[in-house]
Amino acid sequence: MKSPRRTMMSFVIIVIYSSQVTLSLNLESIVHPLILHDHELAGEEPLRQKRAVVTSSPAAKEYTVDIEISFENASFLEPVKTYLNSLTFPIRVNDSDQATNILSMEVTTVCRPTGNEIWCSCETGYRWPQEQCLHNFTCQEHDNSPAGNHCSCLKGLPPKGPFCQLQGAVTLRMLVRLNVGFQEDLRNTSSALYRSYKTDLERAFRKGYSILPGFESVTVTGFRPGSVFVRYEIKTTTPSPELMRKANEQVMQNLNQTYRMDYNSFQVIPSNETKFSIIPEIIFEGDTVTLMCESEVLSPNMSWHHVPRHSDIQNSSRFSIYSSVFNNVTSVSHLIIYNITQEDAGEYSCKLTLDIFEYESRKRINVTPIRIWANEEMKVTCDNNPVSLNCCSEINVNWSKIEWKQEGKINIPGNSETDLDSSCSNYILKADGTQCLSGTTVVYTCEFISAHGARGTKNIEVTFTSVGDNSSHKGEVHEFLRHVMEMSTVQSTTGNSLETSKAQEQQANITITPDPISVSEGQNFSIKCTSDMSNYDEVYWNTSAGIKIYQRFFTTRKYPDGAESVLTVTTSTREWNGTYYCIFRYKNAYSVATKDITVHPLPLELDIMVDPLEAAISCKGSHYFKCCIEEDEHYKVTFQADSVFFPPEKEVNGKQVCYILNFTANSVSWCPKNVDVFCHFTNAANNSVRSLPMKLNLVPGENITCQDPIIGVGEPGRVIQKLCQFSNLPSSPGGPVGGIITYKCVGSQWKVKRNDCISAPINSLLQLAKALIKSPSQDRKLPSYLRGLSISKDKVAHEVGSSPGSLGAIINILDLLSTVPIRVNSEMMTHILSIVNVILDKPILSTWKMLLQQQTNYSSQLLDSVERFSQAFWSEDSTILSISQTNVQMRSMIIKSGPPKPYKQVFVFSDLWGNVAIDKCQMENLQPDSSIVTVAFPTLKTVLAPDFQRNNFADSLVMTTTVRPQITTPFRISMTFKNNNSLGWKPQCVFWNFTLANHTGGWDSSGCYGKVDGDSVFCSCDHLTSFSVLMSPDSPDPDSLLQILLDIISYIGLCFSILSLAACLVVEAVVWKSVTKNRTSYMRHICIVNIAASLLVADIWFIVASTIRDHYYLLNETACVAATFFIHFFYLSVFFWMLTLGLMLFYRLVFILHDVSKSIQKAIAFSLGYGCPLVISVITVGATQPQEVYIRKNACWLNWDDTKALLAFVIPALIIVVVNVTITVVVITKILRPSIGDKPNKQEKSSLFQITKSIGVLTPLLGLTWGFGLATVFQGSNAVFHIAFTLLNAFQGLFILLFGCLWDQKVQEALLKKFSLSRWSSQHSKSTSLGSSTPVFSMSSPISRRFNNLFGKTGTYNVSTLETTSSSLENTSSAYSLLN
């Protein structure tokens, strides 16, 4: 029996519709089989079979059938699409002879009338094939697409051939969430759980995404936590969003529900769709740069983003964006950056958005400043001999042109010769005696212009001298090059001398190290040059580029029968590669020998960036190790762990090249174990260098609690370090981030323990500085480097403001540059001090505090660097040179021959001043041409380490004075400092001794003597260095018994005070209802509660202030200002509530018959208790803080020296004390004045005692406390005042609890009632008799009658019953309840 054959078909529908337009279209369709088969499709209407693919089963064939449908109404199209989308595939169709499965039906091509034409466009995911685009008109009038590209719209339906076809395959990166808990086995690709998840998910994905057109495969690539996020990739053509959502639904239906897949979490990120190009490849500052994104996805919705700034780019004067779609083929977007700067460097992304799809491409651009190397100063003899001026760019690129210009009093033109291959230009000029005046300087400028608009210039100052002026031989960089043209004989280029044709003197025979010298970077080498004559005027070394080697690199010795000069380089770099000339000059005769040096590239040990510095892995785990360098050279790289070597994988990211090893724990013999991992770099010369060790700790897996894909794993308490550029910190433009960050495993998370990271711009400056000090032309590069550093000082201020690591890097840069042994001129010194001014600015001092907590010698290192620069300073002008900045000032003088003049300099800053003087007698000891330099710092005192041992700290200018050349004999210097001492502390003259504290530096008073005269401190020292004045508090010695006693009283008293105030508030809350039954008692307890609450909050802020400010550093100025404000406010509130209490007593005793409601009394009390302090506090801070004179320099309290802001507290407090004392006197006087016919009895005297009790105790306590405090600030104050102030101030809260709360008899009764088990069984029974029920302030009582008689009133009230109104009860409340 013949078995039926199965046929699988895919229907592709082409829709043509017209709306009342008569067109003649040939819609004849036929089936074109691409694979011959013996069965013909019967019964079908016109079909166009496009392809048939044989499946894996020989009996099954796959067909793609094109179906053309014509509509007269365009509205029919959407219902057809909706119907097709609702179908579930595959659809099984049975006939008599075969089984047919319809796999999918898609609308691919739609032809619509447009004007008098028919435009046929492709649906999403489809394109017209190349042959149709080439031979038919596209819909756009101008076809700007390159030949051979696909297109999406044609004019008219092609008469034959295929319709719109599926696009080429793309890879869709997908992400979906499973709402289940993440398990660590999902990280291990070999675990059973991982394989189970992968198998189940891929099965569901294949079933769901098989309906996508052009579907090829789907692969799960991994899992990550956050519930469980599944990463997977689909290889297919770009589907429509509707079809993608439908496929996602199919996935949900085919996946086991236990996985709890979240339908709303599907994310689609297509790849390989966007091309990103940048013009030019090498970008200089000032270039016009074009970034172009090109995608075959048609969408005008393209945007640009600067990743480091986290900002979208918009059209502006410097940025221009325009996007377009070419010929319905390609989406193109251009971003043009005009006059690009280094701040524009970094990663850029262009993003194209189409429905749920996002197409993104990223590229990083680096912006390089144009650096031009040239000899900046030359001397040329006007002898009509050619002289060459040379300029070379640091980077070898194809410059558009190199131009030369000149500016000066004389015009001596020349001819330029440019070698674009080497990026160098020479300007050859000749000058004769008729053209120039001796000593005239002309500035020649070479300008390098790139093809995209960037310009870089370099100035060369040429001083022309007349023939016979021998000064032209001194320090002349190009002297040898000029004489070489005159040399008539060259005896040897490797070891023999050269003779000039003009020289008449006898020539010396020069020999040089014969062996060829070939070294690798980082190695040392030396060249020995020997002369057979000892009679010479000068010996120096030159490079082939005419650069004179600085004298620090060579030594010269003279012998009876000859001389020798040895050039020694301890750490070679590629800058040392080339030919070197050893030159002996005697008068006008030059003897020269040459030697070629080859330096092979090899990274230095410290230039190899390793990751991790240290790590831990489980005994069965693995870890990636990485070694990176900033160049792509052909090195042989191997990794070493123990004695085993491993080959790495290479990864190139821009200029950075990384070598990566995936190290598994089973590579070593046993575990646990500590392993050092190294990477070895070997160059073409077979020289190798080994990286710093990467420490690996193999630990049992059960000990691991902290896990991070970047930081690694570790057990609790584990501390590891990572280079910042390999940490999880955000990337930064301008180069790699420098420094080290330290993590600690706390619980189950890695916490940052210490951050020493250096920002990318500062790190680039640091690397340039390190390269500069190793360069043979360091003396030429240093001025340019300092100039660039000064220009970027605003950027430096921004970077160091919040980064201690960047601040430390700037200090290291200054330290490195100060070791370059050259003369520092006034321009260079100005640049140096401009950077010092930035890092000593007041906003940076908080960063200093964090830096000094990590490493204490940075401030000493900065001071040492400035002193070295000062000693190297030289000025040809003998007058006083002055450089003034906000945070640093410099004065200098050059000693000339003749009668000595005294040296006296004055420095004035906003809040400090000082002067330095050296008398004539001392000046006579200095040689002519000696220099004296004094530098003063107003803020450096804050960051220099205080004298902790003696509890001293600097509180004046820091002035450093240096003399060059250095003197070894005693040298007397006198200084005057402002006595910036408001607390009566003892000033002490000191200098900074760099050798103290294990060479981290400290204050030392040796050889210095001081005297105080009013607001000045005179200091005299017998040596030179950095000086200041230490302020010592005039208090008992820290180790004395009295000081220990004061500390104990303070700590215990403050604890008792806070606890007592809190207890007072608790007691008031407990007895509140019992003691506030009438209006007077209610207001009295309101006052007591607010006094206690205000003092409690003030004490708490006092503790806060002590933690954010100490004697030496401003930890946080903003927090200190806030603490001062609240201390001021709440202490004032204490006094104003005391005033409220006194006024309330005065009112209740004097105005007996006057009745004011409780709400009005409360409003007045709170307005007075909190309103007045608030107004005073706000006005005080508003008037003084804008000028930064609100707080003191050594405490979080109101300023006194500058603004007398302390009066805003003292005056109100003293006035309130006086008012309260006055009220007490008036009340006592009125109560004791007898009424007519009445005499005070014992009960009245007892009542009088109760009335005056609280005011008589509280006011002296609060007032006298501050009186003793004022007494302690005077120098030499008696120890009794210290003890009294500490005792009374520390125990304020306790006194309020005792005298203001617990001494109240009603409070005692209420507490006994509240907590006694017998409910106060000893209480007297209640009585209704007049004697027992009449309050003391009843109008019928004797005391009440006296108050009435005071105002001329008489009368009695009958209160024999308990049916008295509330008003009467309040007006007749007892004096006892008033204050007790």
Side-chain angles (χ1 to χ4, degrees), residues 1055-1246:
C1055 293
F1056 270 102
S1057 182
I1058 292 176
L1059 294 175
S1060 298
L1061 292 169
C1064 181
L1065 295 176
V1066 172
V1067 169
E1068 288 289 340
V1070 171
V1071 303
W1072 185 260
K1073 292 183 179 180
S1074 301
V1075 298
T1076 58
K1077 293 182 178 180
N1078 59 70
R1079 187 178 303 169
T1080 303
S1081 296
Y1082 177 84
M1083 290 305 302
R1084 182 252 179 189
H1085 284 279
I1086 283 285
C1087 293
I1088 293 295
V1089 166
N1090 282 279
I1091 289 172
S1094 298
L1095 189 56
L1096 174 62
V1097 176
D1099 285 344
I1100 293 174
W1101 273 106
F1102 184 85
I1103 296 174
V1104 173
S1106 67
T1107 62
I1108 60 178
R1109 179 81 183 233
D1110 57 29
H1111 285 305
Y1112 316 111
Y1113 304 109
L1114 175 60
L1115 303 182
N1116 190 317
E1117 185 174 0
T1118 302
C1120 191
V1121 169
T1124 302
F1125 174 84
F1126 286 113
I1127 293 173
H1128 184 202
F1129 170 76
F1130 283 107
Y1131 275 129
L1132 279 180
S1133 297
V1134 173
F1135 280 97
F1136 273 93
W1137 276 106
M1138 285 294 302
L1139 176 63
T1140 303
L1141 183 62
L1143 293 176
M1144 186 265 296
L1145 172 64
F1146 184 85
Y1147 167 77
R1148 298 307 299 167
L1149 291 181
V1150 176
F1151 302 98
I1152 299 175
L1153 299 179
H1154 192 273
D1155 186 18
V1156 178
S1157 66
K1158 184 188 296 184
S1159 59
I1160 294 178
Q1161 290 186 45
K1162 286 176 62 178
I1164 295 173
F1166 277 92
S1167 298
L1168 191 61
Y1170 291 123
C1172 293
L1174 182 62
V1175 171
I1176 296 173
S1177 302
V1178 170
I1179 292 176
T1180 304
V1181 70
T1184 57
Q1185 181 56 26
Q1187 290 78 35
E1188 297 184 354
V1189 286
Y1190 176 62
I1191 60 176
R1192 300 187 180 191
K1193 297 178 178 63
N1194 60 343
C1196 291
W1197 186 226
L1198 298 173
N1199 189 293
W1200 174 256
D1201 295 333
D1202 303 304
T1203 59
K1204 302 298 186 287
L1206 182 61
L1207 294 177
F1209 173 76
V1210 173
I1211 292 176
L1214 292 179
I1215 290 175
I1216 290 172
V1217 170
V1218 172
V1219 171
N1220 276 354
V1221 171
T1222 304
I1223 291 174
T1224 303
V1225 173
V1226 170
V1227 171
I1228 292 174
T1229 302
K1230 287 184 177 290
I1231 293 176
L1232 293 179
R1233 182 184 302 168
S1235 300
I1236 299 174
D1238 289 333
K1239 295 182 180 180
N1241 54 31
K1242 294 182 178 179
Q1243 181 181 1
E1244 290 173 333
K1245 293 181 179 179
S1246 176

Side-chain angles (χ1 to χ4, degrees), residues 721-774:
Q721 292 182 326
K722 288 185 74 70
L723 294 180
C724 294
Q725 73 173 100
F726 299 125
S727 68
N728 52 10
L729 297 176
S731 59
S732 175
V737 177
I740 294 175
I741 187 169
T742 305
Y743 294 95
K744 182 176 182 179
C745 179
V746 180
S748 60
Q749 290 184 333
W750 288 107
K751 302 290 186 181
V752 177
K753 181 181 179 182
R754 176 172 168 176
N755 189 339
D756 296 326
C757 291
I758 306 171
S759 66
I762 302 300
N763 187 52
S764 298
L765 292 172
L766 179 60
Q767 299 309 316
L768 288 174
K770 290 180 178 179
L772 186 148
I773 63 171
K774 300 173 185 175

Side-chain angles (χ1 to χ4, degrees), residues 13 25 30 213 229 270 342 388 475 507 556 652 662 668 711 1062-1063 1115 1117 1124 1149 1163 1269 1277 1290 1303 1342:
I13 300 176
L25 294 175
I30 58 174
F229 279 97
Q342 287 193 352
S388 176
Q507 299 294 309
T556 303
V652 180
N662 185 11
V668 296
I711 303 174
L1115 303 182
E1117 185 174 0
T1124 302
L1149 291 181
S1277 58
W1303 205 349

Side-chain angles (χ1 to χ4, degrees), residues 13 60 92 117 143 261 300 444 477 556 560 602 856 867 1022 1288:
I13 300 176
R92 186 177 182 85
E117 299 176 331
D143 186 3
M261 182 176 284
Y444 289 85
V477 173
T556 303
L602 186 67
T856 58
E867 287 196 7
D1022 58 9
L1288 294 176

Side-chain angles (χ1 to χ4, degrees), residues 379-385 387 431 463 465-469 472 482:
K379 292 183 179 180
V380 174
T381 304
C382 301
D383 55 3
N384 204 31
N385 286 310
V387 177
T463 302
T465 59
S466 301
V467 177
D469 189 349
S472 62
R482 185 169 68 83

